[in-house]
């Protein structure tokens, strides 16, 4: 079972050291260890290696492990694309194969393989019965997946498995996809679409008499109508597909993405490409160290409180820490007091001393933390990094100036009760209370403008420093923002995968 952030601290320690004798406690895991493990995907690497050892069961495990690690094939595409007849799965599979430089595997390509006695037997059987026994199909697939190009560049299964029995047989071989895409469209649309399907016998490209007719006359002349596209035949195949699909999908929990095929093919491709480039949540022990950056009024405090409430992270507000240090009259608090009195910036090294004391406490080490209010520029980020406090999730909240003005300039405080309200979002209950409300000088438009300009002046360099930071639109419902942040916290960071450039189109498409 995947562990959530709230319980990962103790479990991460146990995973590294096992049960500890009480006489030797306490043991502190240096922060560099889990940081190294996450940065280099050590847990996933060892998990994959163990899976391959148990599946392949080599006679000599050591050379097998060395060869497996040298291949660097743990993150190659392993994709299954399923869908009813005429849903466009072969087209999407071909485009993904070209874009990801991966191998497209279908029943037709498996039985067409040369220099394989198994494929020759399969061709004979297929020509006679127009189908293959499940065991024979799976043996063909196993033979193909063992070849070096599939190991190094991955694979995309087009329409395989077709039944639950095939899915179970494939699983017993240890063949586990990372992403399963299911295309979906109304049966009436699919029947109409199938009637116009045409195939280029030379390239295997699929065209349509209405939606995708090639402009070149030489291609038009050689297109042929495939067998089995009549309305009755398509309806029969659709009924069979629906019966099988409800039994196949439970074999792939949590990795299925359903995409509507009743839209332009390019849109389907972009959605499929985006999905197969995502990295699923890992089983690795993980202690979140979250940094929220954003201008004043962007909602950092609220998002930090929500994360702390749901996942048990320690909510570390830098400004509040400094105020508490002054109130406690601690050593660093006395150093901070003169800067508070003069309303000038506290030196970074003093802030870092106070912040370091808090982040070193056992609750932060074990449960993780969410920090906001520091760092504010690249120099502070470098200082924090040099002292070993490295966030593993960084979020920048972007909010337009006008929205922040509305959020902050309309805030008021009741001097009698101390309660805070907002003239739009939380108005005072009576006119009497409204008459005595006061505005903080910090909430004036001039002060807000200065603080926003300061943030955005430093924001570019700060984002450059935290290159894996995620930028979010903070000008929306706070709980929508929280869902995005939550997803970024519990899921692993994406590896560097080549994506589509601004003017890049799928293979065969033109602007």
């Amino acid at each position: 079972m995947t562990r959530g952030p709230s319980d990962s601290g103790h479990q991460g320690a146990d995973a590294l050291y096992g049960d500890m004798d009480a006489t030797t406690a306490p043991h502190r895991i240096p922060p560099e260890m889990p940081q190294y493990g996450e940065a280099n995907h050590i847990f996933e690497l060892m998990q994959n290696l163990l899976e391959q050892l148990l599946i392949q069961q080599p006679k000599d495990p050591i050379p097998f492990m060395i060869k497996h690690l040298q291949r660097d094939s743990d993150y190659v595409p392993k994709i299954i694309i399923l869908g009813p007849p005429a849903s466009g799965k072969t087209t999407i599979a071909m485009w993904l194969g070209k874009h990801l430089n991966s191998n497209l595997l279908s029943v037709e390509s498996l039985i067409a393989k040369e220099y394989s006695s198994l494929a020759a037997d399969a061709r004979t059987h297929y020509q006679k019965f127009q189908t293959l026994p499940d065991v024979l199909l799976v043996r063909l697939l196993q033979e193909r997946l063992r070849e070096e190009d599939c190991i190094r560049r991955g694979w995309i299964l087009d329409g395989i498995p077709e039944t639950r029995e095939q899915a179970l047989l494939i699983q017993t071989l240890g063949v586990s996809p990372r992403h399963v895409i299911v295309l979906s469209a109304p049966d009436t649309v699919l029947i109409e679409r199938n009637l116009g399907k045409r195939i280029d016998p030379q390239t295997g490209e699929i065209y349509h008499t209405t939606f995708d007719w090639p402009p070149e006359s030489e291609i038009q002349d050689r297109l042929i109508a495939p067998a089995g596209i009549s309305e009755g035949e398509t309806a029969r195949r659709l009924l069979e597909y629906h019966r099988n699909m409800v039994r196949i999908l439970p074999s792939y929990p949590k990795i299925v993405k359903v995409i509507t095929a009743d839209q332009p093919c390019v849109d389907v491709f972009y959605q499929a490409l985006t999905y197969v480039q995502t990295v699923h949540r890992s089983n690795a022990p993980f202690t979140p160290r979250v940094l929220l950056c954003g201008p004043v009024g962007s909602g950092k405090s609220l998002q930090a409180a929500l994360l702390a409430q749901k996942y048990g992270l320690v909510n570390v507000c830098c400004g509040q820490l400094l105020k508490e240090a002054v109130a406690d009259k601690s050593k660093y608090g006395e150093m901070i007091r003169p800067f508070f009195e003069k309303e000038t910036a506290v030196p970074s090294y003093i802030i870092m001393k106070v912040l370091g004391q808090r982040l070193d406490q056992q609750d932060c080490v074990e449960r993780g933390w969410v920090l906001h209010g520091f760092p504010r520029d690249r120099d502070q980020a470098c200082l924090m990094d040099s002292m070993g406090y490295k966030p593993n999730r960084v979020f920048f909240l972007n909010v337009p100036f006008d929205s922040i003005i509305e959020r902050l300039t309309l805030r008021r405080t009741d001097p009698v009760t101390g309660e805070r309200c907002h003239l739009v979002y939380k108005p005072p209950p009576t006119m009497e209370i409204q008459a005595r409300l006061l505005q903080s000088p910090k909430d004036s438009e001039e002060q807000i403008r200065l603080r926003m300009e300061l943030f955005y002046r430093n924001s570019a360099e700060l984002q450059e420093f935290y290159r894996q930071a995620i930028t979010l639109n903070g000008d929306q419902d706070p709980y929508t923002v929280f869902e995005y942040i939550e997803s970024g916290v519990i899921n692993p960071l994406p590896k560097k995968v080549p994506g589509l450039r601004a003017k890049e189109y799928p293979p065969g498409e033109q602007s």
Side-chain angles (χ1 to χ4, degrees):
M1 180 182 293
T2 302
R3 290 186 285 274
S6 60
D7 62 355
S8 60
H10 286 296
Q11 293 169 343
D14 292 345
L16 288 169
Y17 291 111
D19 294 331
M20 296 183 180
D21 190 281
T23 60
T24 64
H27 283 255
R28 295 288 296 276
I29 299 175
E32 294 80 6
M33 291 176 65
Q35 289 171 14
Y36 176 84
E38 185 186 7
N40 293 279
H41 303 277
I42 298 299
F43 185 91
E44 292 83 358
L45 184 148
M46 299 307 296
Q47 185 181 40
N48 184 275
L49 184 59
L50 178 61
E51 287 176 355
Q52 291 304 311
L53 281 170
L54 296 177
I55 292 167
Q56 304 296 339
Q57 300 179 14
K59 292 182 180 179
D60 194 342
I62 302 301
F64 175 86
M65 288 191 290
I66 293 173
K67 186 176 181 181
H68 176 81
L69 293 172
Q70 288 175 335
R71 280 172 170 160
D72 189 27
S73 60
D74 288 347
Y75 296 97
V76 298
K78 295 181 179 180
I79 303 166
I80 289 178
I81 299 186
L82 304 173
S87 60
K89 58 182 178 294
T90 298
T91 298
I92 299 303
M94 291 175 65
W95 286 2
L96 285 175
K98 291 178 181 178
H99 188 84
L100 300 174
N101 190 30
S102 191
N103 297 283
L104 177 60
L105 309 183
S106 63
V107 173
E108 290 76 14
S109 69
L110 292 174
I111 65 176
K113 184 186 171 190
E114 298 179 356
Y115 314 114
S116 167
S117 58
L118 195 61
D121 293 342
R123 280 195 299 273
T124 302
H125 192 283
Y126 193 80
Q127 289 169 358
K128 186 174 182 180
F129 299 102
Q130 292 300 300
T131 185
L132 291 179
D134 292 342
V135 174
L136 180 56
L137 174 61
V138 172
R139 286 179 60 199
L140 274 173
L141 183 62
Q142 182 181 33
E143 180 182 72
R144 181 70 180 88
L145 293 180
R146 284 176 174 170
E147 296 183 8
E148 192 66 19
D149 61 338
C150 281
I151 293 172
R152 288 190 174 276
R153 296 192 285 115
W155 41 265
I156 302 171
L157 298 188
D158 173 16
I160 303 173
E162 295 181 330
T163 65
R164 177 167 174 77
E165 290 70 28
Q166 290 179 8
L168 295 177
L169 284 171
I170 290 172
Q171 286 181 335
T172 59
L173 299 178
V175 178
S176 300
R178 290 199 179 90
H179 302 90
V180 177
I181 294 173
V182 178
L183 302 183
S184 174
D187 288 355
T188 52
V189 172
L190 296 171
I191 291 173
E192 180 185 357
R193 184 185 290 183
N194 211 27
L195 291 172
K197 182 188 288 187
R198 298 294 183 268
I199 294 179
D200 185 338
Q202 291 188 13
T203 65
E205 293 280 354
I206 299 174
Y207 297 92
H208 195 277
T209 55
T210 303
F211 309 116
D212 185 23
W213 192 244
E216 300 87 353
S217 58
E218 61 271 20
I219 296 179
Q220 296 176 9
D221 293 339
R222 66 174 184 249
L223 294 184
I224 59 174
I229 65 170
S230 68
E231 184 172 341
E233 182 68 14
T234 302
R236 184 192 65 77
R237 291 170 59 200
L238 283 170
L239 181 61
E240 184 179 359
Y241 166 82
H242 292 310
R243 286 172 176 167
N244 287 322
M245 186 53 53
V246 294
R247 301 179 65 235
I248 292 174
L249 293 185
S251 300
Y252 304 109
K254 300 182 181 180
I255 60 170
V256 174
K257 171 75 171 178
V258 178
I259 299 177
T260 300
D262 190 16
Q263 57 181 322
C265 205
V266 175
D267 294 342
V268 177
F269 171 72
Y270 280 124
Q271 292 173 43
L273 180 64
T274 300
Y275 177 61
V276 301
Q277 290 181 338
T278 59
V279 182
H280 296 303
R281 186 173 176 180
S282 167
N283 290 318
F286 173 61
T287 303
R289 300 181 300 278
V290 182
L291 174 62
L292 299 180
C293 299
V296 57
S298 57
K300 301 185 296 294
S301 298
L302 174 58
Q303 297 303 325
L306 291 173
L307 281 174
Q309 180 184 34
K310 183 164 184 177
Y311 291 106
L313 307 184
V314 179
N315 187 350
V316 182
C317 173
C318 188
Q320 186 63 30
L321 276 182
L322 300 183
K323 292 177 183 177
E324 290 173 358
V326 172
D328 293 341
K329 298 183 180 180
S330 66
K331 179 178 71 171
Y332 295 119
E334 293 304 305
M335 297 172 66
I336 294 168
R337 184 184 302 277
F339 297 98
F340 272 22
E341 292 173 349
K342 296 177 183 178
E343 295 187 351
T344 56
V346 180
S348 298
Y349 76 92
I350 299 178
I351 298 176
M352 211 46 245
K353 291 288 187 182
V354 177
L355 182 59
Q357 283 185 337
R358 184 66 189 93
L359 297 182
D360 283 339
Q361 291 182 23
Q362 197 65 19
D363 58 347
C364 283
V365 173
E366 291 184 351
R367 290 158 44 196
W369 42 261
V370 50
L371 171 64
H372 50 109
F374 189 92
R376 296 179 181 271
D377 56 41
R378 184 185 179 92
D379 290 340
Q380 290 183 345
C382 290
L383 177 62
M384 184 170 149
D385 186 81
S386 68
M387 296 181 68
Y389 304 107
K390 301 181 180 182
N392 49 25
R393 296 293 186 273
V394 181
F395 299 90
F396 281 81
L397 302 179
N398 280 345
V399 181
F401 177 73
D402 291 344
S403 296
I404 287 183
I405 289 295
E406 183 183 79
R407 290 183 183 185
L408 300 187
T409 60
L410 300 180
R411 293 195 302 193
R412 299 290 187 271
T413 303
D414 186 340
V416 176
T417 63
E419 290 189 9
R420 304 185 70 177
C421 61
H422 192 281
L423 299 183
V424 173
Y425 305 125
K426 187 185 175 183
T430 66
M431 294 299 294
E432 178 186 355
I433 295 176
Q434 181 167 340
R436 68 180 186 232
L437 294 179
L438 298 177
Q439 181 187 43
S440 168
K442 291 183 178 180
D443 287 343
S444 69
E445 183 170 338
E446 181 182 1
Q447 285 294 316
I448 293 169
R449 186 183 297 274
L450 289 174
R451 292 160 72 188
M452 282 198 67
E453 288 177 354
L454 179 62
F455 171 79
Y456 283 114
R457 195 181 309 149
N458 297 316
S459 177
E461 287 189 347
L462 202 55
Q463 285 183 282
E464 177 65 22
F465 184 83
Y466 293 116
R467 295 196 174 193
Q468 288 188 304
I470 299 172
T471 300
L472 300 174
N473 173 20
D475 190 23
Q476 49 187 330
D477 178 77
Y479 292 96
T480 301
V481 177
F482 176 69
E483 287 176 1
Y484 283 115
I485 294 177
E486 180 183 31
S487 176
V489 169
I490 65 177
N491 290 316
L493 293 172
K495 290 177 70 67
K496 296 296 182 183
V497 182
L500 287 174
R501 294 182 292 275
K503 292 295 184 181
E504 187 174 351
Y505 290 84
E509 289 292 311
Q510 299 176 354
S511 57

